[in-house]
Amino acid sequence: MSWGKRLRPDRAERSAVGVEFTVIEEPGDERVRKLELKIKGMTCEHCVRAVSEALDGVDGVVDVTVSLREGRAVVKLRDDVPIGKLRAAVVEAGYGVDADGDGRQTPSGPSTEPAGKTEDLEKVEFSISGMSCASCVARIERGLSALDGVVRADVNLATERAAVEYIPGVVTPDDLKRAVRDAGYEVPEVDGAEEPPDRAHKRAYQRLKRKLLIGIGFTVPIFILTYHRLFGLSELFPNERINFLLQLLLATPVQFWVGWQFYRGAWAAARHKTTDMNTLIAVGTSAAYAYSVVATFFPGFFSAHGLGAHVYFDTAAAIIVLILLGRLLEARAKGQTSEAIKRLIGMQPKTARVIRGEREVEIPVAEVAVGDTVVVRPGERIPVDGVIVEGYSSVDESMITGESIPVEKRAGDEVIGATINKTGSFRFRATKVGKETALAQIIELVEEAQGSKPPIARLADVVASYFVPVVIGIATVTFVMWYLFGPAPAFTYALLNFIAVLIIACPCALGLATPTSIMVGTGK
């Protein structure tokens, strides 16, 4: 592409990553801007290729030039591309964009004036409800990444949480949550503050359980009505039309109340011109329900074509109930995988005995400050990290080292919070408290590992994003082939096989297997 003339100086802008650039345009072409990024971590030509390929892979990038000697990348990109995507691509490739790097205008040569320093990145985590498969994850990540100022967005289906790195001042946490809601999902909040994950999970679990029980309560009578001859109840339902009407009355609440979440999810996906697991369930069960309604009220339509009027309310209701059962078991498994974090937190003592003046005072461990002198007696857990100043004892550090034999401790030795004092008593000076203690950092690492997304999980998300539309296409072809070449009644067989393909292909395991295994593994 040949570059057009530079616009007026007052068109110079500052990007979301603190890099100055100038918008240029070529007649008859899209508006394009050109900017420089200072890249950290490049050491060889392989690094240059990796960074170039990462930036070139961002949709809307026109041209990339990476210099190893200068440690810079010059990027030409469309004006509508969020610049945060460039930084995210570099980070994804294993390199960094220097937060203190100078950005320079480049369309007509390097500027001698630095563009200034960027703001430090911040990270926020929040819960998301309503996700059902890897397609949901991909849609939310796309919505978050599209915001200018978002550097990286990771959504974990197993933990139902999002972790977003962003540039403060360009985008806010409220903007992130709004993007999630715009994608058709919810951020659980109570009085404007995020609802604690445990409470939100428990509430969602109880709601699922209530819907499942009600769904079973309606579905069992539908099966009795459908197979009344097998139960020896033919004399109770001699009129087939009344039987169908009773099934309709029982199936309707299951379809539109118990299964409403599938319609809501499918509609949210359709608004964004995409599909997900909810689409498969909604289309499949609706097809069975609608076919059955027509057979109930217009049986003559089928007899005119030489077909018998059959209803499949039991199929639609059973599918919804079984999938809800799967989601209930899934929610239960998610709750159990968080037990490892709870056990770690439970190791932290609730109180500490510190020296105040000439007295020993018992205070909440959260009030212990660096420099406090803490007293530990035999059999007690050490409340925070520190260095012994007086006394001698042996300490069980198996929670950190795995070694069952207690370690001898004397003045000058370090002690670790949440380990167990065995024999003697001692005093130590607190050196690390709160989130700085070894236990707090272990908890943070485990939480981060459980919420992380390795390359294999990203691959599963990519596959799932194409999976649903492919399945819908296969189901449609199946319907057409059975309808054209299947035995009589062809339409009935075509419909049943269409529904079977849609339902059996729900990609639940595809999106859940990897993150759930990571959660269980880190817990162990």
Side-chain angles (χ1 to χ4, degrees):
M1 175 186 290
S2 61
W3 288 83
K5 62 180 181 180
R6 183 175 174 176
L7 299 180
R8 302 189 310 274
D10 61 355
R11 294 298 299 277
E13 304 173 20
R14 182 177 297 278
S15 79
V17 291
V19 179
E20 284 191 358
F21 60 89
T22 300
V23 178
I24 63 174
E25 57 185 4
E26 183 176 342
D29 202 351
E30 297 176 278
R31 297 177 71 234
V32 178
R33 54 187 172 183
K34 183 178 181 182
L35 57 91
E36 288 186 357
L37 300 172
K38 187 172 182 180
I39 310 297
K40 296 190 296 183
M42 293 192 301
T43 58
C44 60
E45 288 301 321
H46 173 76
C47 301
V48 171
R49 285 196 301 274
V51 173
S52 296
E53 290 173 0
L55 290 170
D56 196 47
V58 176
D59 187 32
V61 168
V62 178
D63 184 56
V64 177
T65 303
V66 181
S67 170
L68 176 62
R69 182 175 61 83
E70 297 180 357
R72 290 182 181 275
V74 179
V75 186
K76 300 174 186 177
L77 67 160
R78 289 203 314 265
D79 190 39
D80 61 343
V81 179
I83 301 177
K85 286 188 175 182
L86 301 181
R87 190 166 192 165
V90 174
V91 172
E92 183 72 22
Y95 303 89
V97 178
D98 195 345
D100 295 327
D102 293 336
R104 302 179 187 278
Q105 300 175 4
T106 56
S108 60
S111 166
T112 58
E113 294 299 323
K117 299 179 185 285
T118 67
E119 303 89 342
D120 291 334
L121 293 180
E122 289 188 5
K123 185 175 181 179
V124 65
E125 292 191 12
F126 51 88
S127 298
I128 299 175
S129 63
M131 295 188 294
S132 59
C133 64
S135 297
C136 304
V137 171
R139 184 158 70 249
I140 295 172
E141 287 183 346
R142 282 197 302 269
L144 290 170
S145 299
L147 297 177
D148 208 359
V150 171
V151 174
R152 186 186 185 95
D154 281 329
V155 178
N156 191 299
L157 178 60
T159 59
E160 296 183 320
R161 291 185 69 80
V164 185
E165 288 185 29
Y166 66 98
I167 302 165
V170 179
V171 68
T172 67
D174 286 341
D175 295 332
L176 303 177
K177 294 175 182 178
R178 191 177 303 114
V180 171
R181 293 189 178 100
D182 289 344
Y185 302 88
E186 291 299 323
V187 179
E189 291 183 337
V190 177
D191 297 330
E194 184 182 353
E195 187 175 9
D198 284 349
R199 191 191 305 170
H201 179 270
K202 186 175 181 180
R203 189 165 52 83
Y205 180 83
Q206 292 300 327
R207 184 171 62 248
L208 269 177
K209 187 176 180 180
R210 183 172 62 254
K211 281 197 167 189
L212 176 65
L213 292 175
I214 294 173
I216 292 174
F218 280 105
T219 303
V220 170
I222 294 174
F223 269 83
I224 293 174
L225 289 167
T226 303
Y227 303 104
H228 60 278
R229 292 183 178 86
L230 295 178
F231 295 105
L233 302 175
S234 299
E235 65 279 2
L236 294 179
F237 307 103
N239 190 313
E240 189 177 65
R241 183 174 176 80
I242 293 177
N243 186 313
F244 288 176
L245 287 171
L246 289 174
Q247 289 188 50
L248 172 62
L249 291 174
L250 291 167
T252 300
V254 178
Q255 187 73 32
F256 298 109
W257 183 75
V258 177
W260 180 248
Q261 63 194 72
F262 304 125
Y263 286 101
R264 187 174 62 240
W267 172 245
R271 282 172 45 214
H272 293 82
K273 299 178 181 178
T274 185
T275 55
D276 63 6
M277 173 186 164
N278 293 300
T279 308
L280 298 181
I281 299 168
V283 172
T285 59
S286 296
Y289 179 85
Y291 177 89
S292 302
V293 169
V294 173
T296 299
F297 290 105
F298 306 102
F301 171 80
F302 297 92
S303 59
H305 292 78
L307 304 175
H310 300 286
V311 296
Y312 297 94
F313 292 118
D314 58 320
T315 301
I319 287 169
I320 289 173
V321 168
L322 287 174
I323 291 176
L324 275 186
L325 174 61
R327 292 200 176 176
L328 187 73
L329 295 174
E330 171 193 316
R332 184 170 177 268
K334 289 176 183 176
Q336 290 176 338
T337 52
S338 64
E339 289 300 317
I341 299 292
K342 294 177 182 176
R343 286 196 297 270
L344 283 173
I345 294 173
M347 291 179 176
Q348 178 82 52
K350 300 294 185 290
T351 61
R353 194 175 292 104
V354 302
I355 303 298
R356 290 283 190 262
E358 299 297 325
R359 297 186 305 114
E360 292 183 10
V361 181
E362 193 166 327
I363 63 174
V365 72
E367 296 180 9
V368 177
V370 173
D372 278 347
T373 299
V374 184
V375 179
V376 182
R377 295 172 180 170
E380 294 181 341
R381 285 190 182 271
I382 298 170
V384 295
D385 297 0
V387 177
I388 295 177
V389 295
E390 180 185 332
Y392 173 87
S393 183
S394 59
V395 177
D396 179 359
E397 295 185 338
S398 59
M399 64 156 285
I400 298 292
T401 65
E403 176 56 63
S404 60
I405 299 174
V407 181
E408 303 298 316
K409 298 287 185 179
R410 54 179 56 84
D413 290 341
E414 291 186 353
V415 291
I416 302 172
T419 55
I420 303 172
N421 180 33
K422 301 297 285 186
T423 56
S425 62
F426 58 86
R427 297 183 179 188
F428 72 94
R429 184 181 72 257
T431 57
K432 294 180 179 178
V433 299
K435 293 185 177 181
E436 299 300 318
T437 64
L439 178 63
Q441 291 182 27
I442 290 172
I443 292 171
E444 183 179 351
L445 283 172
V446 174
E447 287 179 331
E448 186 174 332
Q450 288 190 343
S452 65
K453 184 176 290 185
I456 187 65
R458 295 185 180 279
L459 177 61
D461 290 349
V462 171
V463 171
S465 66
Y466 295 101
F467 187 82
V468 175
V470 169
V471 167
I472 291 177
I474 293 173
T476 303
V477 172
T478 301
F479 179 88
V480 172
M481 297 298 289
W482 274 90
Y483 184 71
L484 294 178
F485 305 108
F491 184 83
T492 299
Y493 284 118
L495 177 67
L496 289 178
N497 285 286
F498 171 78
I499 296 169
V501 172
L502 289 177
I503 301 305
I504 203 66
C506 291
C508 310
L510 189 63
L512 278 171
T514 302
T516 303
S517 62
I518 291 170
M519 290 177 68
V520 173
T522 52
K524 297 296 182 185

